[in-house]
Amino acid sequence: MSKLVLKNVARRYGAVEAVADFSLELVPGEFVSLLGPSGCGKTTTLRMIAGFVPPSAGTIDMDGRQISSPSSVVPPEKRRMSMIFQSYAIWPNMTVGENVGFGLQVRRLSRGEIDRKVDAILDVVQMRNLKGRYPAELSGGQQQRVALARAIVVEPEVLLLDEPLSNLDANLREEMRFEIRRLHDEFKITTVYVTHDQSEAMVTSDRIVVMNKGRIEQIDTPHVLYARPRSRFVAGFIGRTNFLEGSRQGSEVRFDGFSAAASALEGANGTGGLLYSLRPQAIGLATQKPNGGVLAVEAEIAGRSYLGEYWDYQVKPLGAAKPLRVSTGPNAVFEIGTRVWLEIDPSAMVRVE
Amino acid sequence: MFGYAVFVAALAMFLPYLFLIQAAFAKAWGRGFGLENISLRNFHFVLFEHGTAAKSVLNSFVNAGVSATSVVILTLGVAYIVTRRLVPFGGILGFLCIAPFVIPGVVLAIGFYAAYAPPPLALCGTAPILILAFTTRFLPIGYVNASAAIRSLNPEMEEAVCVLGGSRLTALRRVVAPLLKRSLLGAWLLIFIPATRELSAAIFLYGPNTKVASVMIFDMSEEGNFEYLAALALILQVLTLPLLWIGQKALGRDFMLRRTAT
Ligand SMILES: Nc1ncnc2c1ncn2[C@@H]1O[C@H](COP(=O)(O)OP(=O)(O)O)[C@@H](O)[C@H]1O
Ligand SMILES: [Mg+2]
């Protein structure tokens, strides 16, 4: 049975439709991210799940029981969820130990049991030695760990996180991503994670919900999302890509500077504009004309940048108006102006709307 | 620059104080600063011989204390309700708390007099009417302070309590009150100290048993008893200063609140 079910949930603020027609099911123990640009309705969705915001349409069920609808909302304190806020919301008047033990105290556990659980979870987040400190004496990363410990120690039904890493510096952010995933693997708490950072979502999540302007664009695993984006928005938001506009001419589809057999292309027989996304990594560069199943296009190196982990080339097919972006390994060095061959696998071209 | 600052300070503080102290200890203040002119007679008179002077100081402190406490509690509640939008049209409530600011004390007192003096209330001259008037007068100071303090608290701090299963009352008790105790103590002092000196409303509302120090001082100045007046004023000062000192110590020492999240 599903742990959490959102059915056609919507939320209006006056004329603003913050969230519209949002449907999502989480299986127990799943880690799902809500990913999208700022203002797309991620926080509003999360706060509806937490019970702080009533939906203006639709319902939310947990374990088969309805917890939110426009007419009745189970209050947050009755939901047995945990939430990590963007500000961490660590209480500055309590020590680390008191912060973490608070939820257990509210649940009326015995003194001894609280101590035991608090110590155990502080060990997990490597904060045991700072148990007696006040939050003002902790770094941002340590406060973050306290927030995590405080949320997990109560063994919540669902864990909600709202951009928990956005206040940390880049290095720490990367470390904490893995930390969050590690904690999830250890405790298997059903989790909804809000972020605007695609790599954060990719590292942590089982599935990602890409949102745009209050609506769901696509729900898929990180791999499928990257390899098979369904819309122009998703293709552009997750990683970098080339957008290729094609027009059907007989059995071929003509693109800027080359053409491909319609039979080899996904969805080339459908109606509407033929827009394809082609990842820079999916294009090969060669000095000799390649043979075999791929499309070979003669081109010229128009520009390049070296980024350490890879080369970012701009390569212009002969006769094309715009160059394509191509990523290669750091050892594939081509000078600007060199004639090269592009190897394009038509099956890597994904039709998007 | 420094000289100028000292000059201003001297003009504002030292000179009037010097003469106040001189008068308080003088046998007759016109005779100047000589040693032979010093005595404690004025203090003795004000404290032990005068019929109501000592009592008036006590009255002042009790009234101010009760008023300051009720203002702080009332405004904290209203400011919380308004800031967290717990009721519709909370803004009007907030405005009502600030409104007394534009009413002169005298007018307020006459209003209170008209409202509470006639039967069945017949509160004129009693302590409750003074406390009511003081509470009203200082409501704006309390409200402005309380609402600034609450606005400095991130509501996520209270939401974190709710998510973990605590009620709003738990949030108030365990998080909001401890985090605000410092600003509330500050607001309390900010009300208490001027309330011990309040004259314009008190002068209309006091009765034979509820005369406050400010009214007493005013009476003495009418009678031309500057030595007694100075002694009484000095007693009032000496009694309030330690409060200010305690307050400052308490505020400075609260290291835990150094980084109240905003
Ligand atoms: N309490 C509110 N009142 C009015 N508008 C709101 C409120 N909360 C959110 N919104 C609007 O809803 C939209 C989505 O906001 P939000 O869910 O915070 O986006 P995100 O978290 O993805 O950045 C925004 O346009 C925002 O202005
Ligand atoms: Mg947000």
Side-chain angles (χ1 to χ4, degrees):
Chain A
M1 190 177 64
S2 298
K3 182 78 195 172
L4 195 64
V5 182
L6 287 84
K7 253 190 251 135
N8 310 105
V9 172
R11 174 70 208 189
R12 303 191 72 92
Y13 288 110
V16 180
E17 198 152 49
V19 177
D21 197 23
F22 190 104
S23 295
L24 174 69
E25 286 194 27
L26 277 85
V27 299
E30 198 179 14
F31 194 123
V32 171
S33 283
L34 309 183
L35 174 65
S38 171
C40 72
K42 306 179 298 288
T43 297
T44 307
T45 308
L46 202 71
R47 291 175 67 82
M48 284 194 281
I49 299 174
F52 288 117
V53 175
S56 39
T59 58
I60 301 174
D61 294 9
M62 184 166 75
D63 294 325
R65 197 172 70 94
Q66 191 174 92
I67 52 173
S68 277
S69 73
S71 56
S72 82
V73 171
V74 176
E77 59 265 33
K78 299 259 167 64
R79 295 192 170 202
R80 305 185 62 85
M81 294 182 180
S82 278
M83 182 157 174
I84 292 179
F85 299 85
Q86 203 166 353
S87 66
Y88 311 151
I90 298 289
W91 304 301
N93 57 316
M94 300 184 204
T95 62
V96 168
E98 288 164 351
N99 263 283
V100 175
F102 184 89
L104 301 171
Q105 226 177 25
V106 171
R107 284 163 169 72
R108 303 197 183 289
L109 267 63
S110 71
R111 193 66 252 169
E113 198 160 359
I114 293 177
D115 270 346
R116 195 178 52 71
K117 289 195 174 201
V118 168
D119 286 350
I121 198 76
L122 285 178
D123 276 337
V124 171
V125 297
Q126 293 144 30
M127 291 280 296
R128 176 80 171 269
N129 54 335
L130 302 177
K131 189 178 176 186
R133 292 270 191 96
Y134 281 93
E137 304 161 324
L138 302 179
S139 70
Q142 290 169 331
Q143 295 192 18
Q144 180 63 74
R145 282 168 200 275
V146 176
L148 277 167
R150 185 177 73 179
I152 291 172
V153 75
V154 296
E155 295 163 28
E157 299 289 331
V158 175
L159 177 62
L160 308 171
L161 301 101
D162 191 356
E163 313 228 7
L165 307 185
S166 58
N167 291 331
L168 302 179
D169 57 48
N171 282 336
L172 202 53
R173 210 178 311 161
E174 193 157 330
E175 181 189 323
M176 288 305 291
R177 275 178 211 163
F178 293 110
E179 180 80 4
I180 287 174
R181 182 66 213 193
R182 179 177 73 83
L183 290 173
H184 180 258
D185 291 338
E186 186 165 344
F187 294 97
K188 297 272 183 288
I189 302 169
T190 312
T191 302
V192 183
Y193 185 99
V194 160
T195 180
H196 64 266
D197 180 324
Q198 48 136 336
S199 45
E200 229 170 271
M202 304 271 267
V203 168
T204 53
S205 315
D206 298 321
R207 284 193 299 157
I208 299 175
V209 179
V210 183
M211 296 178 68
N212 182 27
K213 296 187 184 138
R215 292 179 183 276
I216 294 178
E217 290 271 338
Q218 187 169 351
I219 308 178
D220 264 311
T221 62
H223 175 77
V224 173
L225 217 48
Y226 184 80
R228 297 273 138 198
R230 276 213 299 269
S231 66
R232 186 187 181 112
F233 178 82
V234 175
F237 196 76
I238 312 273
R240 302 168 309 132
T241 200
N242 294 295
F243 286 112
L244 309 173
E245 228 167 301
S247 62
R248 185 72 191 260
Q249 283 176 2
S251 65
E252 295 221 307
V253 178
R254 270 216 68 74
F255 294 99
D256 183 24
F258 69 99
S259 51
S263 56
L265 284 175
E266 163 194 282
N269 295 317
T271 51
L274 291 176
L275 183 69
Y276 286 83
S277 155
L278 179 60
R279 299 286 181 194
Q281 288 85 340
I283 307 176
L285 277 186
T287 44
Q288 303 294 318
K289 179 170 183 176
N291 41 25
V294 297
L295 216 72
V297 180
E298 202 170 7
E300 191 180 284
I301 305 283
R304 61 178 193 177
S305 348
Y306 179 63
L307 289 141
E309 286 168 29
Y310 62 92
W311 276 100
D312 183 8
Y313 286 106
Q314 282 122 276
V315 189
K316 207 156 145 187
L318 299 185
K322 278 194 312 186
L324 297 173
R325 298 183 72 175
V326 180
S327 297
T328 68
N331 298 325
V333 184
F334 299 91
E335 300 301 325
I336 290 177
T338 321
R339 282 288 174 88
V340 291
W341 288 88
L342 292 170
E343 304 173 359
I344 299 172
D345 179 359
S347 68
M349 294 175 64
V350 182
R351 184 166 173 207
V352 296
E353 278 155 28
Chain B
M1 279 307 278
F2 182 72
Y4 177 74
V6 170
F7 175 70
V8 170
L11 222 55
M13 281 285 298
F14 299 146
L15 278 183
Y17 254 90
L18 202 62
F19 281 95
L20 181 74
I21 292 169
Q22 188 259 339
F25 287 97
K27 289 183 181 134
W29 68 284
R31 271 200 265 151
F33 285 86
L35 261 182
E36 77 292 342
N37 195 22
I38 289 181
S39 84
L40 289 174
R41 214 173 47 84
N42 300 328
F43 291 97
H44 190 264
F45 175 80
V46 171
L47 285 176
F48 304 111
E49 291 165 36
H50 192 285
T52 49
K55 177 107 192 302
S56 76
V57 173
L58 184 67
N59 282 343
S60 275
F61 275 72
V62 171
N63 285 346
V66 175
S67 307
T69 308
S70 41
V71 167
V72 167
I73 293 172
L74 276 173
T75 54
L76 180 67
V78 175
Y80 188 80
I81 289 170
V82 173
T83 314
R84 294 285 180 262
R85 300 177 200 282
L86 299 184
V87 296
F89 308 111
I92 297 174
L93 263 177
F95 180 74
L96 284 179
C97 285
I98 315 200
F101 198 55
V102 297
I103 306 172
V106 183
V107 177
L108 194 79
I110 294 170
F112 264 85
Y113 188 85
Y116 294 105
L121 290 170
L123 284 177
C124 193
T126 64
I129 196 170
L130 277 171
I131 289 169
L132 267 173
F134 282 15
T135 303
T136 311
R137 270 213 85 179
F138 292 104
L139 219 46
I141 299 184
Y143 184 75
V144 169
N145 269 286
S147 107
I150 289 172
R151 255 177 287 139
S152 77
L153 280 188
N154 191 330
E156 289 184 349
M157 216 100 80
E158 293 145 56
E159 288 170 354
V161 172
C162 290
V163 168
L164 288 173
S167 63
R168 193 172 277 280
L169 215 62
T170 312
L172 274 171
R173 207 164 44 79
R174 297 284 305 272
V175 175
V176 177
L179 288 181
L180 293 190
K181 81 176 173 239
R182 185 183 150 183
S183 3
L184 293 184
L185 180 60
W188 191 88
L189 285 171
L190 218 54
I191 296 163
F192 178 82
I193 292 172
T196 57
R197 282 119 224 257
E198 210 288 346
L199 177 66
S200 57
I203 203 155
F204 279 88
L205 297 171
Y206 78 93
N209 290 321
T210 58
K211 196 181 238 185
V212 291
S214 54
V215 177
M216 196 75 232
I217 290 174
F218 185 72
D219 285 355
M220 286 174 167
S221 81
E222 294 273 85
E223 295 157 11
N225 289 326
F226 289 115
E227 295 84 0
Y228 297 158
L229 180 157
L232 186 59
L234 212 58
I235 291 170
L236 207 58
Q237 301 274 308
V238 167
L239 289 177
T240 2
L241 270 176
L243 271 177
L244 206 58
W245 183 75
I246 291 170
Q248 267 201 338
K249 274 223 35 137
L251 300 193
R253 192 194 35 152
D254 229 337
F255 68 95
M256 299 179 279
L257 303 174
R258 221 172 18 191
R259 210 204 282 172
T260 308
T262 48

